[in-house]
Amino acid sequence: MPRILMTGASGGIGTSLRKLLPPIYPDLLLSDIKPPADLGANEQFKAADLADLAQCEAICEGVDGIIHFGGYSVEGTWDQILQANIIGGYNLFEAAYRKGVKRVVFASSNHAVGFYPRHHRIGTDVTPRPDGRYGVSKVFGEAVGALYADKHGLKVTCLRIGNFGDMPLDQRRLSIWLKPDDLVQLCRIGLEHPDIHFEVFYGASLNERAWWDNHRAYEFGYRPTGRAEDFREHAMAEQAKLKPDPVGDHYQGGAFCSNEFDGDASRIIDWNKR
Ligand code: 15L
């Protein structure tokens, strides 16, 4: 029975995933800076600050595979991103290597490529176009993952997660929604598939309006079941409540792109009006 470590267990995705994983991985060690408020008596938890390498090594002891959801999951100050995602991300891979962990699934994000316009369909091999410091940290994490795969033989899977949740929340999320069960499938591919060396997949369900070419994930057996269009009415009703955001509505990263934006607005075309 493989021992799996999940970092970020108290965060948004971790909170949901730690309920879905035990039937598949009964030996599941949860970690975060602070324990989840509703930690069950049958759950194993070890606290760790990812910015401290020794603490990372302690949670990697005896572990076969890691699902790394830890770190900052939205835009933050440079110091927040530096400690949690840059130093923390590096420490996690280094600790995994030192402790002989075989596989890491790294929660990357669509914000690593958020400045691609929505009319541009992209694969996982495009030049990064991060839409903030958070996005930069995800590009960094993918690069560190590639290094440890190529140089040290760690089997690494990076998931550029769109928007995780029970349903798509607005028009943008109809293109990038990720159903929890589909994320479980992607984690299992990363933790179990024999042909993984270094892969990047989009963490997206079966979204008709997808901007992403996710064929690599399908080649590894990914068969998403979440259909964003089943929630179209709800998502569009929520969209109608939002203020127009010329920058955010143009780019894939949405409001992450308009946040602090003072770039070249003439590059922004409303394709719906052409
Ligand atoms: C992310 O990477 C964030 O973690 C999440 O909170 C959402 O904002 C998501 O992206 C998104 O793009 O909707």
Side-chain angles (χ1 to χ4, degrees):
M1 184 165 62
R3 182 164 172 77
I4 304 299
L5 163 68
M6 184 173 85
T7 66
S10 307
I13 298 186
T15 297
S16 159
L17 231 64
R18 62 177 240 266
K19 309 215 164 90
L20 298 177
L21 291 176
I24 307 161
Y25 303 115
D27 191 4
L28 181 68
L29 173 64
L30 307 174
S31 184
D32 207 306
I33 290 200
K34 285 190 197 142
D38 60 342
L39 189 71
N42 53 350
E43 290 184 295
Q44 306 177 54
F45 179 84
K46 236 188 221 179
D49 178 354
L50 298 173
D52 181 321
L53 180 57
Q55 293 186 37
C56 288
E57 285 188 45
I59 55 172
C60 288
E61 198 72 63
V63 162
D64 299 293
I66 300 175
I67 306 174
H68 178 40
F69 289 124
Y72 227 71
S73 63
V74 288
E75 184 61 303
T77 65
W78 170 238
D79 195 53
Q80 287 165 329
I81 298 291
L82 174 67
Q83 298 302 324
N85 293 15
I86 303 283
I87 297 174
Y90 177 82
N91 284 348
L92 192 278
F93 279 104
E94 174 63 17
Y97 167 55
R98 289 188 188 182
K99 293 294 173 184
V101 178
K102 294 177 194 70
R103 293 174 181 255
V104 175
V105 175
F106 168 61
S108 181
S109 167
N110 71 92
H111 298 291
V113 289
F115 263 119
Y116 280 96
R118 297 187 185 189
H119 60 269
H120 191 143
R121 189 175 167 83
I122 56 173
T124 51
D125 54 352
V126 291
T127 303
R129 298 288 286 272
D131 55 27
R133 294 171 290 276
Y134 166 67
V136 168
S137 76
K138 294 301 180 182
V139 175
F140 173 82
E142 291 185 10
V144 176
L147 175 68
Y148 278 81
D150 291 335
K151 190 160 275 193
H152 302 301
L154 216 68
K155 294 178 190 299
V156 177
T157 305
C158 301
L159 305 177
R160 284 187 191 155
I161 297 175
N163 191 248
F164 172 89
D166 291 333
M167 64 179 76
L169 300 175
D170 53 28
Q171 185 172 3
R172 172 173 168 268
R173 270 62 171 258
L174 285 171
S175 298
I176 67 167
W177 178 53
L178 176 61
K179 180 180 160 177
D181 287 335
D182 293 340
L183 177 55
V184 171
Q185 260 196 63
L186 289 167
C187 290
R188 289 195 72 173
I189 292 170
L191 292 173
E192 298 172 29
H193 199 290
D195 298 333
I196 293 286
H197 167 67
F198 173 77
E199 290 295 332
V200 181
F201 301 143
Y202 284 105
S205 289
L206 205 52
N207 303 332
E208 261 175 46
R209 308 171 189 225
W211 303 311
W212 304 327
D213 171 1
N214 209 13
H215 75 272
R216 279 301 279 173
Y218 286 78
E219 283 170 20
F220 277 81
Y222 180 47
R223 299 291 178 268
T225 58
R227 290 181 173 272
E229 289 304 307
D230 291 350
F231 302 94
R232 185 180 169 281
E233 250 172 64
H234 165 80
M236 295 313 269
E238 291 303 307
Q239 181 67 36
K241 297 178 192 164
L242 301 174
K243 279 200 200 124
D245 173 358
V247 175
D249 293 344
H250 177 72
Y251 291 110
Q252 296 186 7
F256 282 65
C257 296
S258 45
N259 176 36
E260 302 176 24
F261 182 88
D262 54 8
D264 183 356
S266 70
R267 297 178 59 82
I268 295 158
I269 299 160
D270 186 345
W271 287 73
N272 297 322
K273 290 198 185 132
R274 277 166 62 99

